[in-house]
Amino acid sequence: MKYAVDRIEEEIYVLENIKTGEIIEVKKDEVPEEAHEGSILKVVNDEYILDEKEEKKRRTSLRERMEKLKKKSEQ
Protein backbone atom coordinates (compact mmCIF):
# COMPACT_ATOMS: atom_id res chain seq x y z
CA MET A 1 0.00 0.00 0.00
CA LYS A 2 1.08 3.56 -0.64
CA TYR A 3 0.08 6.64 1.31
CA ALA A 4 0.51 10.37 0.80
CA VAL A 5 1.25 12.49 3.85
CA ASP A 6 -1.79 14.75 3.89
CA ARG A 7 -0.83 16.78 6.94
CA ILE A 8 1.15 16.68 10.16
CA GLU A 9 -0.55 17.51 13.43
CA GLU A 10 2.00 17.68 16.25
CA GLU A 11 2.85 14.01 16.94
CA ILE A 12 0.39 12.55 14.39
CA TYR A 13 0.80 12.09 10.65
CA VAL A 14 -2.45 12.01 8.69
CA LEU A 15 -2.00 9.71 5.69
CA GLU A 16 -4.23 9.15 2.68
CA ASN A 17 -4.20 5.87 0.79
CA ILE A 18 -3.43 6.99 -2.78
CA LYS A 19 -5.68 4.33 -4.32
CA THR A 20 -8.70 4.25 -2.02
CA GLY A 21 -8.63 7.69 -0.40
CA GLU A 22 -8.87 6.09 3.04
CA ILE A 23 -7.48 8.36 5.77
CA ILE A 24 -5.42 6.95 8.64
CA GLU A 25 -3.47 8.50 11.48
CA VAL A 26 -0.08 7.22 12.59
CA LYS A 27 2.31 8.29 15.32
CA LYS A 28 5.25 10.46 14.33
CA ASP A 29 7.75 7.81 15.42
CA GLU A 30 6.27 5.30 12.93
CA VAL A 31 7.29 7.29 9.82
CA PRO A 32 10.75 8.28 8.58
CA GLU A 33 11.84 11.58 10.10
CA GLU A 34 12.47 12.98 6.58
CA ALA A 35 8.75 12.61 5.76
CA HIS A 36 6.89 15.87 5.09
CA GLU A 37 3.52 16.95 3.74
CA GLY A 38 3.26 15.50 0.24
CA SER A 39 5.70 12.65 0.88
CA ILE A 40 4.73 9.24 -0.45
CA LEU A 41 5.17 6.33 1.93
CA LYS A 42 4.94 2.67 1.07
CA VAL A 43 4.41 -0.11 3.57
CA VAL A 44 7.09 -2.80 3.53
CA ASN A 45 7.09 -5.47 6.23
CA ASP A 46 4.73 -3.34 8.36
CA GLU A 47 7.14 -0.39 8.16
CA TYR A 48 6.63 2.97 6.42
CA ILE A 49 9.35 3.71 3.86
CA LEU A 50 9.76 6.89 1.77
CA ASP A 51 9.03 6.38 -1.93
CA GLU A 52 10.87 9.33 -3.46
CA LYS A 53 10.44 8.02 -7.02
CA GLU A 54 6.64 7.94 -6.68
CA GLU A 55 6.62 11.37 -5.02
CA LYS A 56 8.62 12.87 -7.90
CA LYS A 57 6.32 11.21 -10.45
CA ARG A 58 3.20 12.57 -8.73
CA ARG A 59 4.65 16.09 -8.42
CA THR A 60 5.57 16.09 -12.13
CA SER A 61 2.09 14.91 -13.09
CA LEU A 62 0.45 17.57 -10.93
CA ARG A 63 2.70 20.28 -12.39
CA GLU A 64 1.78 19.19 -15.93
CA ARG A 65 -1.94 19.24 -15.13
CA MET A 66 -1.62 22.72 -13.63
CA GLU A 67 0.16 23.96 -16.76
CA LYS A 68 -2.62 22.55 -18.98
CA LEU A 69 -5.26 24.30 -16.87
CA LYS A 70 -3.30 27.55 -17.00
CA LYS A 71 -3.06 27.36 -20.80
CA LYS A 72 -6.79 26.66 -21.12
CA SER A 73 -7.68 29.62 -18.93
CA GLU A 74 -5.50 31.93 -21.06
CA GLN A 75 -7.41 31.03 -24.23
Side-chain angles (χ1 to χ4, degrees):
M1 281 188 271
K2 291 187 181 183
Y3 294 90
V5 177
D6 182 58
R7 63 186 180 280
I8 302 167
E9 299 176 348
E10 296 183 25
E11 298 296 314
I12 300 293
Y13 277 61
V14 179
L15 308 180
E16 179 180 356
N17 184 307
I18 62 175
K19 288 192 178 190
T20 67
E22 174 190 12
I23 301 291
I24 62 170
E25 295 181 354
V26 296
K27 295 178 185 173
K28 181 179 179 177
D29 62 352
E30 294 181 42
V31 300
E33 71 179 53
E34 303 88 15
H36 53 84
E37 290 181 2
S39 288
I40 302 298
L41 304 172
K42 59 184 173 182
V43 180
V44 178
N45 297 326
D46 294 328
E47 186 177 336
Y48 292 98
I49 307 291
L50 283 173
D51 188 341
E52 293 173 349
K53 183 178 175 182
E54 180 70 21
E55 179 180 345
K56 183 177 179 179
K57 182 175 129 182
R58 288 173 56 91
R59 287 187 185 276
T60 300
S61 174
L62 179 59
R63 192 174 303 115
E64 289 170 355
R65 284 187 270 155
M66 293 297 289
E67 286 299 318
K68 282 182 183 179
L69 287 172
K70 184 178 176 183
K71 286 179 183 179
K72 281 186 179 182
S73 70
E74 292 174 350
Q75 294 177 350

